[in-house]
PDB file of all heavy atoms in Angstrom:
ATOM      1  N   GLU A   4      -0.866 -35.053  30.773  1.00 78.00           N
ATOM      2  CA  GLU A   4      -0.607 -36.447  30.469  1.00 78.00           C
ATOM      3  C   GLU A   4       0.485 -36.550  29.416  1.00 78.00           C
ATOM      4  O   GLU A   4       0.576 -35.709  28.541  1.00 78.00           O
ATOM      5  CB  GLU A   4      -1.878 -37.068  29.908  1.00 78.00           C
ATOM      6  CG  GLU A   4      -3.010 -37.052  30.894  1.00 78.00           C
ATOM      7  CD  GLU A   4      -3.627 -38.409  31.010  1.00 78.00           C
ATOM      8  OE1 GLU A   4      -3.215 -39.325  30.288  1.00 78.00           O
ATOM      9  OE2 GLU A   4      -4.529 -38.547  31.833  1.00 78.00           O
ATOM     10  N   ARG A  15       6.868 -41.843  22.701  1.00 81.00           N
ATOM     11  CA  ARG A  15       5.676 -41.860  23.540  1.00 81.00           C
ATOM     12  C   ARG A  15       5.291 -43.284  23.921  1.00 81.00           C
ATOM     13  O   ARG A  15       4.911 -43.559  25.060  1.00 81.00           O
ATOM     14  CB  ARG A  15       4.523 -41.206  22.802  1.00 81.00           C
ATOM     15  CG  ARG A  15       3.907 -40.106  23.603  1.00 81.00           C
ATOM     16  CD  ARG A  15       2.735 -39.564  22.941  1.00 81.00           C
ATOM     17  NE  ARG A  15       3.087 -39.016  21.652  1.00 81.00           N
ATOM     18  CZ  ARG A  15       2.235 -38.437  20.862  1.00 81.00           C
ATOM     19  NH1 ARG A  15       0.999 -38.330  21.240  1.00 81.00           N
ATOM     20  NH2 ARG A  15       2.576 -37.975  19.698  1.00 81.00           N
ATOM     21  N   GLY A  22       5.647 -46.807  32.134  1.00 73.00           N
ATOM     22  CA  GLY A  22       4.780 -46.470  33.249  1.00 73.00           C
ATOM     23  C   GLY A  22       4.686 -44.991  33.558  1.00 73.00           C
ATOM     24  O   GLY A  22       4.086 -44.618  34.559  1.00 73.00           O
ATOM     25  N   GLU A  28       6.103 -36.450  36.378  1.00 77.00           N
ATOM     26  CA  GLU A  28       6.954 -37.611  36.630  1.00 77.00           C
ATOM     27  C   GLU A  28       8.191 -37.591  35.743  1.00 77.00           C
ATOM     28  O   GLU A  28       9.289 -37.927  36.169  1.00 77.00           O
ATOM     29  CB  GLU A  28       6.167 -38.905  36.368  1.00 77.00           C
ATOM     30  CG  GLU A  28       5.135 -39.198  37.413  1.00 77.00           C
ATOM     31  CD  GLU A  28       4.268 -40.368  37.005  1.00 77.00           C
ATOM     32  OE1 GLU A  28       4.663 -41.126  36.107  1.00 77.00           O
ATOM     33  OE2 GLU A  28       3.185 -40.506  37.590  1.00 77.00           O
ATOM     34  N   GLU A  40      15.903 -45.744  32.014  1.00 76.00           N
ATOM     35  CA  GLU A  40      14.620 -46.443  32.091  1.00 76.00           C
ATOM     36  C   GLU A  40      14.118 -46.883  30.726  1.00 76.00           C
ATOM     37  O   GLU A  40      13.603 -47.964  30.557  1.00 76.00           O
ATOM     38  CB  GLU A  40      13.563 -45.485  32.670  1.00 76.00           C
ATOM     39  CG  GLU A  40      13.791 -45.124  34.099  1.00 76.00           C
ATOM     40  CD  GLU A  40      12.922 -45.955  35.002  1.00 76.00           C
ATOM     41  OE1 GLU A  40      11.999 -46.613  34.493  1.00 76.00           O
ATOM     42  OE2 GLU A  40      13.165 -45.945  36.201  1.00 76.00           O
ATOM     43  N   GLU A  58       6.469 -26.941  27.224  1.00 77.00           N
ATOM     44  CA  GLU A  58       5.012 -27.041  27.245  1.00 77.00           C
ATOM     45  C   GLU A  58       4.475 -26.683  28.614  1.00 77.00           C
ATOM     46  O   GLU A  58       3.519 -25.940  28.748  1.00 77.00           O
ATOM     47  CB  GLU A  58       4.584 -28.473  26.917  1.00 77.00           C
ATOM     48  CG  GLU A  58       4.638 -28.810  25.462  1.00 77.00           C
ATOM     49  CD  GLU A  58       3.602 -28.071  24.657  1.00 77.00           C
ATOM     50  OE1 GLU A  58       2.456 -27.936  25.125  1.00 77.00           O
ATOM     51  OE2 GLU A  58       3.932 -27.603  23.560  1.00 77.00           O
ATOM     52  N   ARG A  74      -3.455 -17.439  21.602  1.00 69.00           N
ATOM     53  CA  ARG A  74      -4.161 -16.333  21.003  1.00 69.00           C
ATOM     54  C   ARG A  74      -5.502 -16.250  21.710  1.00 69.00           C
ATOM     55  O   ARG A  74      -6.507 -16.685  21.177  1.00 69.00           O
ATOM     56  CB  ARG A  74      -4.350 -16.611  19.523  1.00 69.00           C
ATOM     57  CG  ARG A  74      -3.053 -17.047  18.877  1.00 69.00           C
ATOM     58  CD  ARG A  74      -3.315 -17.614  17.520  1.00 69.00           C
ATOM     59  NE  ARG A  74      -2.124 -18.121  16.899  1.00 69.00           N
ATOM     60  CZ  ARG A  74      -1.724 -19.383  16.942  1.00 69.00           C
ATOM     61  NH1 ARG A  74      -2.430 -20.269  17.580  1.00 69.00           N
ATOM     62  NH2 ARG A  74      -0.612 -19.768  16.351  1.00 69.00           N
ATOM     63  N   ARG A  75      -5.521 -15.780  22.939  1.00 77.00           N
ATOM     64  CA  ARG A  75      -6.786 -15.723  23.646  1.00 77.00           C
ATOM     65  C   ARG A  75      -7.160 -14.277  23.917  1.00 77.00           C
ATOM     66  O   ARG A  75      -6.320 -13.440  24.220  1.00 77.00           O
ATOM     67  CB  ARG A  75      -6.730 -16.522  24.947  1.00 77.00           C
ATOM     68  CG  ARG A  75      -5.889 -15.903  26.032  1.00 77.00           C
ATOM     69  CD  ARG A  75      -6.314 -16.372  27.412  1.00 77.00           C
ATOM     70  NE  ARG A  75      -6.505 -17.779  27.510  1.00 77.00           N
ATOM     71  CZ  ARG A  75      -7.563 -18.318  28.119  1.00 77.00           C
ATOM     72  NH1 ARG A  75      -8.475 -17.565  28.648  1.00 77.00           N
ATOM     73  NH2 ARG A  75      -7.673 -19.619  28.194  1.00 77.00           N
ATOM     74  N   CYS A  76      -8.434 -13.987  23.789  1.00 83.00           N
ATOM     75  CA  CYS A  76      -8.928 -12.648  24.091  1.00 83.00           C
ATOM     76  C   CYS A  76     -10.445 -12.757  24.219  1.00 83.00           C
ATOM     77  O   CYS A  76     -11.022 -13.777  23.887  1.00 83.00           O
ATOM     78  CB  CYS A  76      -8.571 -11.667  22.982  1.00 83.00           C
ATOM     79  SG  CYS A  76      -8.819 -12.349  21.348  1.00 83.00           S
ATOM     80  N   ALA A  78     -14.388 -11.608  23.299  1.00 84.00           N
ATOM     81  CA  ALA A  78     -15.059 -11.281  22.038  1.00 84.00           C
ATOM     82  C   ALA A  78     -15.075  -9.774  21.825  1.00 84.00           C
ATOM     83  O   ALA A  78     -15.032  -9.287  20.696  1.00 84.00           O
ATOM     84  CB  ALA A  78     -16.479 -11.830  22.054  1.00 84.00           C
ATOM     85  N   GLU A  85     -11.503  -6.175  14.810  1.00 84.00           N
ATOM     86  CA  GLU A  85     -12.098  -6.349  13.481  1.00 84.00           C
ATOM     87  C   GLU A  85     -12.555  -5.037  12.895  1.00 84.00           C
ATOM     88  O   GLU A  85     -12.441  -4.802  11.700  1.00 84.00           O
ATOM     89  CB  GLU A  85     -13.300  -7.292  13.569  1.00 84.00           C
ATOM     90  CG  GLU A  85     -12.941  -8.735  13.462  1.00 84.00           C
ATOM     91  CD  GLU A  85     -14.138  -9.621  13.596  1.00 84.00           C
ATOM     92  OE1 GLU A  85     -15.229  -9.204  13.175  1.00 84.00           O
ATOM     93  OE2 GLU A  85     -13.994 -10.725  14.132  1.00 84.00           O
ATOM     94  N   ARG A 251      -4.880 -35.686   3.970  1.00 85.00           N
ATOM     95  CA  ARG A 251      -4.070 -35.288   5.114  1.00 85.00           C
ATOM     96  C   ARG A 251      -3.193 -34.098   4.782  1.00 85.00           C
ATOM     97  O   ARG A 251      -3.095 -33.142   5.548  1.00 85.00           O
ATOM     98  CB  ARG A 251      -3.184 -36.453   5.549  1.00 85.00           C
ATOM     99  CG  ARG A 251      -3.499 -36.929   6.928  1.00 85.00           C
ATOM    100  CD  ARG A 251      -2.608 -38.030   7.356  1.00 85.00           C
ATOM    101  NE  ARG A 251      -2.329 -38.956   6.308  1.00 85.00           N
ATOM    102  CZ  ARG A 251      -1.153 -39.555   6.154  1.00 85.00           C
ATOM    103  NH1 ARG A 251      -0.177 -39.316   6.972  1.00 85.00           N
ATOM    104  NH2 ARG A 251      -0.976 -40.400   5.168  1.00 85.00           N
ATOM    105  N   GLN A 258      -4.384 -25.819   7.722  1.00 89.00           N
ATOM    106  CA  GLN A 258      -4.113 -25.332   9.075  1.00 89.00           C
ATOM    107  C   GLN A 258      -2.915 -24.398   9.065  1.00 89.00           C
ATOM    108  O   GLN A 258      -2.906 -23.366   9.744  1.00 89.00           O
ATOM    109  CB  GLN A 258      -3.842 -26.507  10.025  1.00 89.00           C
ATOM    110  CG  GLN A 258      -5.064 -27.332  10.363  1.00 89.00           C
ATOM    111  CD  GLN A 258      -6.193 -26.499  10.920  1.00 89.00           C
ATOM    112  OE1 GLN A 258      -7.203 -26.267  10.267  1.00 89.00           O
ATOM    113  NE2 GLN A 258      -6.026 -26.011  12.127  1.00 89.00           N
ATOM    114  N   ARG A 280     -19.717 -33.454 -10.618  1.00 81.00           N
ATOM    115  CA  ARG A 280     -20.232 -34.554  -9.812  1.00 81.00           C
ATOM    116  C   ARG A 280     -21.417 -35.136 -10.557  1.00 81.00           C
ATOM    117  O   ARG A 280     -22.385 -34.424 -10.851  1.00 81.00           O
ATOM    118  CB  ARG A 280     -20.676 -34.093  -8.434  1.00 81.00           C
ATOM    119  CG  ARG A 280     -21.268 -35.261  -7.657  1.00 81.00           C
ATOM    120  CD  ARG A 280     -21.739 -34.886  -6.293  1.00 81.00           C
ATOM    121  NE  ARG A 280     -20.656 -34.362  -5.506  1.00 81.00           N
ATOM    122  CZ  ARG A 280     -20.848 -33.474  -4.526  1.00 81.00           C
ATOM    123  NH1 ARG A 280     -22.063 -33.059  -4.256  1.00 81.00           N
ATOM    124  NH2 ARG A 280     -19.845 -33.027  -3.834  1.00 81.00           N
ATOM    125  N   PRO A 321     -18.725 -16.353   7.106  1.00 84.00           N
ATOM    126  CA  PRO A 321     -19.203 -16.347   8.492  1.00 84.00           C
ATOM    127  C   PRO A 321     -20.025 -15.121   8.839  1.00 84.00           C
ATOM    128  O   PRO A 321     -20.675 -15.097   9.864  1.00 84.00           O
ATOM    129  CB  PRO A 321     -17.905 -16.365   9.311  1.00 84.00           C
ATOM    130  CG  PRO A 321     -16.874 -15.840   8.411  1.00 84.00           C
ATOM    131  CD  PRO A 321     -17.266 -16.165   7.021  1.00 84.00           C
ATOM    132  N   GLU A 325     -25.555 -15.174   1.605  1.00 84.00           N
ATOM    133  CA  GLU A 325     -25.274 -15.660   0.255  1.00 84.00           C
ATOM    134  C   GLU A 325     -25.907 -14.723  -0.760  1.00 84.00           C
ATOM    135  O   GLU A 325     -27.063 -14.356  -0.604  1.00 84.00           O
ATOM    136  CB  GLU A 325     -25.895 -17.033   0.062  1.00 84.00           C
ATOM    137  CG  GLU A 325     -25.234 -18.114   0.869  1.00 84.00           C
ATOM    138  CD  GLU A 325     -25.923 -19.440   0.666  1.00 84.00           C
ATOM    139  OE1 GLU A 325     -26.663 -19.582  -0.325  1.00 84.00           O
ATOM    140  OE2 GLU A 325     -25.748 -20.310   1.499  1.00 84.00           O
TER     141      GLU A 325
ATOM    142  N   MET B   1      -0.830 -47.270  35.355  1.00 60.00           N
ATOM    143  CA  MET B   1       0.579 -47.666  35.188  1.00 60.00           C
ATOM    144  C   MET B   1       1.493 -46.618  35.791  1.00 60.00           C
ATOM    145  O   MET B   1       2.339 -46.050  35.115  1.00 60.00           O
ATOM    146  CB  MET B   1       0.893 -47.794  33.687  1.00 60.00           C
ATOM    147  CG  MET B   1       0.302 -49.018  33.077  1.00 60.00           C
ATOM    148  SD  MET B   1       1.453 -50.356  33.124  1.00 60.00           S
ATOM    149  CE  MET B   1       2.466 -49.990  31.706  1.00 60.00           C
ATOM    150  N   ARG B  21      12.661 -52.943  42.358  1.00 79.00           N
ATOM    151  CA  ARG B  21      13.023 -52.781  40.949  1.00 79.00           C
ATOM    152  C   ARG B  21      13.997 -53.852  40.506  1.00 79.00           C
ATOM    153  O   ARG B  21      13.943 -54.336  39.374  1.00 79.00           O
ATOM    154  CB  ARG B  21      13.669 -51.408  40.747  1.00 79.00           C
ATOM    155  CG  ARG B  21      13.234 -50.787  39.463  1.00 79.00           C
ATOM    156  CD  ARG B  21      13.673 -49.389  39.393  1.00 79.00           C
ATOM    157  NE  ARG B  21      12.559 -48.516  39.695  1.00 79.00           N
ATOM    158  CZ  ARG B  21      12.587 -47.220  39.488  1.00 79.00           C
ATOM    159  NH1 ARG B  21      13.672 -46.662  39.047  1.00 79.00           N
ATOM    160  NH2 ARG B  21      11.558 -46.474  39.759  1.00 79.00           N
ATOM    161  N   ARG B  26       8.107 -52.523  38.929  1.00 77.00           N
ATOM    162  CA  ARG B  26       8.393 -51.110  38.723  1.00 77.00           C
ATOM    163  C   ARG B  26       7.177 -50.213  38.860  1.00 77.00           C
ATOM    164  O   ARG B  26       7.303 -49.048  39.147  1.00 77.00           O
ATOM    165  CB  ARG B  26       9.033 -50.919  37.351  1.00 77.00           C
ATOM    166  CG  ARG B  26      10.336 -51.685  37.245  1.00 77.00           C
ATOM    167  CD  ARG B  26      10.907 -51.703  35.864  1.00 77.00           C
ATOM    168  NE  ARG B  26      11.232 -50.360  35.452  1.00 77.00           N
ATOM    169  CZ  ARG B  26      10.609 -49.702  34.483  1.00 77.00           C
ATOM    170  NH1 ARG B  26       9.652 -50.261  33.807  1.00 77.00           N
ATOM    171  NH2 ARG B  26      10.967 -48.480  34.168  1.00 77.00           N
ATOM    172  N   GLN B 115     -22.481 -20.567  12.481  1.00 89.00           N
ATOM    173  CA  GLN B 115     -23.547 -19.633  12.820  1.00 89.00           C
ATOM    174  C   GLN B 115     -24.336 -20.122  14.019  1.00 89.00           C
ATOM    175  O   GLN B 115     -24.663 -19.344  14.925  1.00 89.00           O
ATOM    176  CB  GLN B 115     -24.504 -19.454  11.624  1.00 89.00           C
ATOM    177  CG  GLN B 115     -23.839 -18.922  10.384  1.00 89.00           C
ATOM    178  CD  GLN B 115     -23.295 -17.532  10.591  1.00 89.00           C
ATOM    179  OE1 GLN B 115     -23.978 -16.661  11.088  1.00 89.00           O
ATOM    180  NE2 GLN B 115     -22.053 -17.335  10.245  1.00 89.00           N
ATOM    181  N   ALA B 143     -16.314 -11.591  15.175  1.00 88.00           N
ATOM    182  CA  ALA B 143     -16.930 -10.910  16.306  1.00 88.00           C
ATOM    183  C   ALA B 143     -18.057  -9.995  15.855  1.00 88.00           C
ATOM    184  O   ALA B 143     -19.032  -9.793  16.582  1.00 88.00           O
ATOM    185  CB  ALA B 143     -15.873 -10.126  17.070  1.00 88.00           C
ATOM    186  N   SER B 144     -17.947  -9.453  14.631  1.00 86.00           N
ATOM    187  CA  SER B 144     -19.007  -8.543  14.199  1.00 86.00           C
ATOM    188  C   SER B 144     -20.313  -9.290  13.968  1.00 86.00           C
ATOM    189  O   SER B 144     -21.394  -8.756  14.220  1.00 86.00           O
ATOM    190  CB  SER B 144     -18.605  -7.765  12.944  1.00 86.00           C
ATOM    191  OG  SER B 144     -17.611  -8.426  12.242  1.00 86.00           O
ATOM    192  N   ILE B 180     -17.588 -13.797  26.704  1.00 90.00           N
ATOM    193  CA  ILE B 180     -17.198 -14.842  25.758  1.00 90.00           C
ATOM    194  C   ILE B 180     -15.699 -14.740  25.534  1.00 90.00           C
ATOM    195  O   ILE B 180     -15.206 -13.767  25.008  1.00 90.00           O
ATOM    196  CB  ILE B 180     -17.942 -14.674  24.429  1.00 90.00           C
ATOM    197  CG1 ILE B 180     -19.438 -14.706  24.670  1.00 90.00           C
ATOM    198  CG2 ILE B 180     -17.548 -15.771  23.460  1.00 90.00           C
ATOM    199  CD1 ILE B 180     -20.251 -14.524  23.415  1.00 90.00           C
ATOM    200  N   GLN B 181     -14.979 -15.773  25.952  1.00 89.00           N
ATOM    201  CA  GLN B 181     -13.528 -15.806  25.741  1.00 89.00           C
ATOM    202  C   GLN B 181     -13.238 -16.607  24.481  1.00 89.00           C
ATOM    203  O   GLN B 181     -13.775 -17.695  24.300  1.00 89.00           O
ATOM    204  CB  GLN B 181     -12.873 -16.519  26.911  1.00 89.00           C
ATOM    205  CG  GLN B 181     -12.498 -15.620  28.022  1.00 89.00           C
ATOM    206  CD  GLN B 181     -11.009 -15.655  28.279  1.00 89.00           C
ATOM    207  OE1 GLN B 181     -10.339 -16.574  27.843  1.00 89.00           O
ATOM    208  NE2 GLN B 181     -10.502 -14.675  28.968  1.00 89.00           N
ATOM    209  N   VAL B 182     -12.374 -16.064  23.630  1.00 91.00           N
ATOM    210  CA  VAL B 182     -12.058 -16.759  22.382  1.00 91.00           C
ATOM    211  C   VAL B 182     -10.593 -17.159  22.399  1.00 91.00           C
ATOM    212  O   VAL B 182      -9.729 -16.333  22.664  1.00 91.00           O
ATOM    213  CB  VAL B 182     -12.311 -15.827  21.176  1.00 91.00           C
ATOM    214  CG1 VAL B 182     -11.961 -16.530  19.888  1.00 91.00           C
ATOM    215  CG2 VAL B 182     -13.742 -15.378  21.163  1.00 91.00           C
ATOM    216  N   ARG B 184      -7.725 -19.092  19.983  1.00 89.00           N
ATOM    217  CA  ARG B 184      -7.509 -19.641  18.641  1.00 89.00           C
ATOM    218  C   ARG B 184      -6.474 -20.761  18.725  1.00 89.00           C
ATOM    219  O   ARG B 184      -5.331 -20.526  19.099  1.00 89.00           O
ATOM    220  CB  ARG B 184      -6.992 -18.556  17.712  1.00 89.00           C
ATOM    221  CG  ARG B 184      -7.989 -17.449  17.570  1.00 89.00           C
ATOM    222  CD  ARG B 184      -7.760 -16.692  16.327  1.00 89.00           C
ATOM    223  NE  ARG B 184      -9.019 -16.212  15.826  1.00 89.00           N
ATOM    224  CZ  ARG B 184      -9.328 -14.933  15.705  1.00 89.00           C
ATOM    225  NH1 ARG B 184      -8.457 -14.035  16.050  1.00 89.00           N
ATOM    226  NH2 ARG B 184     -10.487 -14.583  15.234  1.00 89.00           N
ATOM    227  N   PHE B 186      -4.820 -23.807  16.471  1.00 87.00           N
ATOM    228  CA  PHE B 186      -4.787 -24.292  15.103  1.00 87.00           C
ATOM    229  C   PHE B 186      -4.108 -25.642  14.961  1.00 87.00           C
ATOM    230  O   PHE B 186      -3.951 -26.130  13.863  1.00 87.00           O
ATOM    231  CB  PHE B 186      -4.110 -23.258  14.196  1.00 87.00           C
ATOM    232  CG  PHE B 186      -4.866 -21.956  14.146  1.00 87.00           C
ATOM    233  CD1 PHE B 186      -4.227 -20.764  14.361  1.00 87.00           C
ATOM    234  CD2 PHE B 186      -6.218 -21.948  13.900  1.00 87.00           C
ATOM    235  CE1 PHE B 186      -4.917 -19.578  14.318  1.00 87.00           C
ATOM    236  CE2 PHE B 186      -6.924 -20.764  13.858  1.00 87.00           C
ATOM    237  CZ  PHE B 186      -6.268 -19.573  14.065  1.00 87.00           C
ATOM    238  N   GLU B 190      -1.837 -27.450  20.484  1.00 88.00           N
ATOM    239  CA  GLU B 190      -2.316 -26.194  21.069  1.00 88.00           C
ATOM    240  C   GLU B 190      -3.667 -26.411  21.738  1.00 88.00           C
ATOM    241  O   GLU B 190      -3.958 -25.848  22.799  1.00 88.00           O
ATOM    242  CB  GLU B 190      -2.465 -25.133  19.971  1.00 88.00           C
ATOM    243  CG  GLU B 190      -1.158 -24.580  19.462  1.00 88.00           C
ATOM    244  CD  GLU B 190      -1.359 -23.605  18.319  1.00 88.00           C
ATOM    245  OE1 GLU B 190      -2.440 -23.000  18.251  1.00 88.00           O
ATOM    246  OE2 GLU B 190      -0.444 -23.461  17.523  1.00 88.00           O
ATOM    247  N   LEU B 229      -4.902 -38.073  10.760  1.00 79.00           N
ATOM    248  CA  LEU B 229      -5.505 -39.382  10.525  1.00 79.00           C
ATOM    249  C   LEU B 229      -5.075 -39.959   9.197  1.00 79.00           C
ATOM    250  O   LEU B 229      -4.654 -39.257   8.300  1.00 79.00           O
ATOM    251  CB  LEU B 229      -7.030 -39.252  10.512  1.00 79.00           C
ATOM    252  CG  LEU B 229      -7.727 -39.038  11.832  1.00 79.00           C
ATOM    253  CD1 LEU B 229      -9.203 -38.990  11.592  1.00 79.00           C
ATOM    254  CD2 LEU B 229      -7.400 -40.158  12.784  1.00 79.00           C
ATOM    255  N   GLU B 235      -0.898 -42.756  15.341  1.00 78.00           N
ATOM    256  CA  GLU B 235      -0.727 -41.650  16.275  1.00 78.00           C
ATOM    257  C   GLU B 235      -1.956 -40.754  16.286  1.00 78.00           C
ATOM    258  O   GLU B 235      -2.379 -40.252  17.331  1.00 78.00           O
ATOM    259  CB  GLU B 235       0.493 -40.846  15.836  1.00 78.00           C
ATOM    260  CG  GLU B 235       0.627 -39.548  16.556  1.00 78.00           C
ATOM    261  CD  GLU B 235       1.674 -38.654  15.927  1.00 78.00           C
ATOM    262  OE1 GLU B 235       1.569 -38.378  14.716  1.00 78.00           O
ATOM    263  OE2 GLU B 235       2.565 -38.264  16.664  1.00 78.00           O
ATOM    264  N   ARG B 245     -11.164 -37.896  25.621  1.00 91.00           N
ATOM    265  CA  ARG B 245     -11.167 -38.122  27.065  1.00 91.00           C
ATOM    266  C   ARG B 245     -11.103 -36.805  27.819  1.00 91.00           C
ATOM    267  O   ARG B 245     -11.818 -36.598  28.796  1.00 91.00           O
ATOM    268  CB  ARG B 245      -9.992 -39.011  27.440  1.00 91.00           C
ATOM    269  CG  ARG B 245     -10.220 -39.747  28.730  1.00 91.00           C
ATOM    270  CD  ARG B 245      -9.213 -40.807  28.904  1.00 91.00           C
ATOM    271  NE  ARG B 245      -7.915 -40.230  29.140  1.00 91.00           N
ATOM    272  CZ  ARG B 245      -6.838 -40.949  29.439  1.00 91.00           C
ATOM    273  NH1 ARG B 245      -6.928 -42.246  29.521  1.00 91.00           N
ATOM    274  NH2 ARG B 245      -5.695 -40.371  29.608  1.00 91.00           N
TER     275      ARG B 245
END
Side-chain angles (χ1 to χ4, degrees):
Chain A
E4 298 230 357
R15 234 185 299 182
E28 288 172 17
E40 293 261 347
E58 282 292 319
R74 311 167 184 95
R75 71 156 47 225
C76 43
E85 274 178 32
R251 243 182 321 144
Q258 288 305 108
R280 177 180 300 151
E325 291 178 18
Chain B
M1 286 268 279
R21 219 170 258 192
R26 299 171 63 247
Q115 300 296 311
S144 23
I180 302 179
Q181 270 240 342
V182 179
R184 298 202 148 117
F186 297 130
E190 286 176 26
L229 286 182
E235 169 191 55
R245 204 167 69 174

